[in-house]
Amino acid sequence: MTPDIAIVGIGETAPVRRSPKDLRSLVMEAVYDALDDAGIAPGEVDGVVTDSVVMPTTVPHDYVMAQLGATSRFDGSISYGGAGIACSPLQAALAINAGLANVVISYFGVDWGTRPSGPYGFHDLYPAKQTFEKPYGFNAQPIYFGLWTRRYMKEYGLTPEQLGSVAVQQRQHALLRGGGQISKPLTIEDYLTAPRIAEPLGVPDCCLITDGAGAFVMTSNERARDCRKPPVHVAGTGFASIPVSGDSVFTQDPNVLTTPGAHPATEQALAMAGIERRDIDFVELYDCFTISVLMQLEDMGFCEKGEAGAFFEEGRAAIGSDLPINTHGGFLSYSYRLGIEHVVEAVRQLRGEAGTNQVANTRFGAVGGFSLPDYGVLVLSADG
Amino acid sequence: MTETAGDEFQPFWDAAAAGELRFPFCRSCQKFHWYPMIRCPHCNTADISWRAIDPTGSLYSWTVVQRPFDAAFNDRTPYVVGLLEFPDAPGVRLITNLVDIETDAIEFGMAAAPAFDLYDTAESRLMFRPNVKPARSLE
């Protein structure tokens, strides 16, 4: 498949931990902004794709289409959270290329800053987790990733300074970008002395918590020519998974220190785009934790296994260096809107409208979406 | 008869109450799996039994949790979550709490045995106590 489509509009709400607006209002604000950015009237939307778990149960497709006054001809959903959003262009391309839809929106939003269960509510999906994990206090993502981090440090010799350099680098990018949830600089000394959450992970290793939303608009490359902004083309999409259930994946995956699906999804997306890793100018990675950035960078094949910590420590992930990563500061330092903000940032970069945090001469950018045990990769291109 | 979610987990707790550690074992392909599944995920047959193993595990990793994420743990931090492997049950890893150990003394590969003496059927938590007896090597 050649995905003959482009992203023509992006929208996002201002990054805040707690918003006075409810989730539907935040999502609609982002969707309207994205349509306005594209110069496409709401009534022209005729398809919608989101993740299949979070959005359908919080801001359902039918509500959004009714609010837009738009008639749906295609309705899709894939994976959940970040992997689903990174892969939503995969389904949109299938629909648009087949003539099933003309303008497809994707959106994602969370109100986890104000919702009492926050990001931990999903645990109720899994009876085994309730029975064999929660009673031991194995009940939140920092604890799962803390357990992985400890073992990863033993296997690969990762140092606290190397891990901390991910947090420090992304904070620098967030301050360059501006407008994020945190405006305070972070030094490696700050990192090393920060309060621990689940050892060895501390506060700066963990993503922010956010009330907010993002959205983007996709259409055929032909229709994209008449839009308000230069189109950013969907060059390749990849989705991959492993046969380990979401409740078992933190403990029972035989390759527990490898990001499930990241390598095959990357191969699929690059093959579709007809490019190599060296052609990628920047990467936006699902950075729920510092350790997950390192694992994905390695498992996508941008670093050898065990070498991503040194890559960050040597400054090679900085804007202006070898391979800029999370150019807006990501979930760690900008805001936490699972996957969608990485797509929005990649589009800004490829349009050349990122301003203070612009990567020079961008042609290709990659987005990685991580939702254990699924992985999604999106390769975007500035050229047609 | 209707089954309620979680019924398939009860043999683990019944075994713990009897002072045993048992995991689902497929009699057809002779492999363990964890967590419990409806059929064996390796060969898709339903011929699954709960096999008792040598309950001494080897510590794969651990984390010391400093901040509670559930009100039930407000007065329990810091606590240690450990992930154990078992030489007798390849492919199984078990989440537990490590008890009676200083956090600085915890090591990779450390042997730990179930604290059956602390097991309380009302709580359904089988904790492990690191011991001096070395675990058989997994390598």
Side-chain angles (χ1 to χ4, degrees), chain A residues 149-381:
Chain A
T149 305
R150 172 100 55 192
R151 185 72 192 192
Y152 182 101
M153 285 177 148
K154 172 183 165 58
E155 295 289 337
Y156 299 110
L158 176 75
T159 67
E161 290 79 6
Q162 288 173 338
L163 188 63
S165 65
V166 177
V168 170
Q169 181 64 73
Q170 292 201 197
R171 184 65 58 85
Q172 288 172 0
H173 287 169
L175 297 183
L176 268 181
R177 162 80 175 84
Q181 277 176 240
I182 302 190
S183 53
K184 197 174 160 220
L186 180 77
T187 66
I188 195 70
E189 291 74 26
D190 297 334
Y191 170 86
L192 293 170
T193 55
R196 299 295 100 184
I197 302 238
E199 295 174 10
L201 298 181
V203 172
D205 291 294
C206 304
C207 65
L208 302 166
I209 299 291
T210 298
D211 284 352
F216 54 95
V217 182
M218 295 166 280
T219 189
S220 65
N221 280 329
E222 186 185 350
R223 172 72 181 84
R225 281 190 225 120
D226 301 324
C227 289
R228 182 169 287 160
K229 297 266 183 76
V232 168
H233 306 277
V234 175
T237 60
F239 173 82
S241 190
I242 58 167
V244 177
S245 173
D247 51 0
S248 316
V249 75
F250 287 101
T251 58
Q252 309 303 319
D253 177 4
N255 305 306
V256 75
L257 298 179
T258 298
T259 318
H263 194 265
T266 305
E267 292 287 313
Q268 182 184 327
L270 290 172
M272 200 183 287
I275 62 171
E276 308 283 336
R277 285 174 184 77
R278 64 170 177 272
D279 298 318
I280 300 286
D281 299 308
F282 63 94
V283 184
E284 311 293 353
L285 287 178
Y286 194 94
D287 52 324
C288 44
F289 296 93
T290 48
I291 187 68
S292 32
V293 175
L294 300 181
M295 288 172 56
Q296 289 168 82
L297 193 60
E298 294 164 354
D299 299 328
M300 292 175 84
F302 289 103
C303 286
E304 293 297 316
K305 199 70 188 162
E307 291 185 0
F311 188 87
F312 267 88
E313 193 174 39
E314 291 160 12
R316 297 170 65 191
I319 292 170
S321 188
D322 296 4
L323 184 66
I325 292 163
N326 289 338
T327 49
H328 65 308
F331 303 152
L332 295 174
S333 282
Y334 184 70
S335 84
Y336 178 46
R337 290 166 295 184
L338 293 71
I340 197 113
E341 67 178 58
H342 291 72
V343 177
V344 168
E345 172 64 10
V347 171
R348 288 174 74 244
Q349 290 288 345
L350 289 162
R351 283 176 174 175
E353 63 179 27
T356 48
N357 67 321
Q358 180 68 50
V359 176
N361 304 319
T362 51
R363 274 190 74 210
F364 290 102
V367 177
F370 176 41
S371 304
L372 290 159
D374 297 346
Y375 203 84
V377 174
L378 174 62
V379 174
L380 296 173
S381 163

Side-chain angles (χ1 to χ4, degrees), chain B residues 12 19 21 28 52 55 67 74 84 87 96 115 133:
Chain B
F12 182 87
L21 191 62
S28 177
R67 181 181 292 192
N74 283 351
L84 295 169
T96 188
K133 180 186 141 200

Side-chain angles (χ1 to χ4, degrees), chain A residues 120 127 131-137 139-140 142 147 150-151 154 196-199 248 251-254 256, chain B residues 9 12-13 34-35 60-64 66-67 69-70 73 76 79 81 91 93 95-97 108 125-126:
Chain A
Y120 318 115
T131 306
F132 295 115
E133 297 187 352
K134 281 188 87 170
Y136 301 99
N139 56 9
L147 197 78
R150 172 100 55 192
R151 185 72 192 192
K154 172 183 165 58
R196 299 295 100 184
I197 302 238
E199 295 174 10
S248 316
T251 58
Q252 309 303 319
D253 177 4
V256 75
Chain B
F9 306 151
F12 182 87
W13 304 114
W34 190 243
Y35 296 118
Y60 178 80
S61 192
W62 74 97
T63 176
V64 182
Q66 300 286 358
R67 181 181 292 192
F69 288 87
D70 177 331
F73 289 82
R76 280 173 56 184
Y79 60 89
V81 174
R93 297 196 190 104
I95 284 289
T96 188
N97 294 133
F108 289 103
R125 270 195 303 142
L126 181 60

Side-chain angles (χ1 to χ4, degrees), chain A residues 106-125:
Chain A
S106 180
Y107 62 86
F108 194 87
V110 281
D111 56 357
W112 290 346
T114 48
R115 188 186 289 254
S117 63
Y120 318 115
F122 87 97
H123 292 135
D124 298 339
L125 280 176

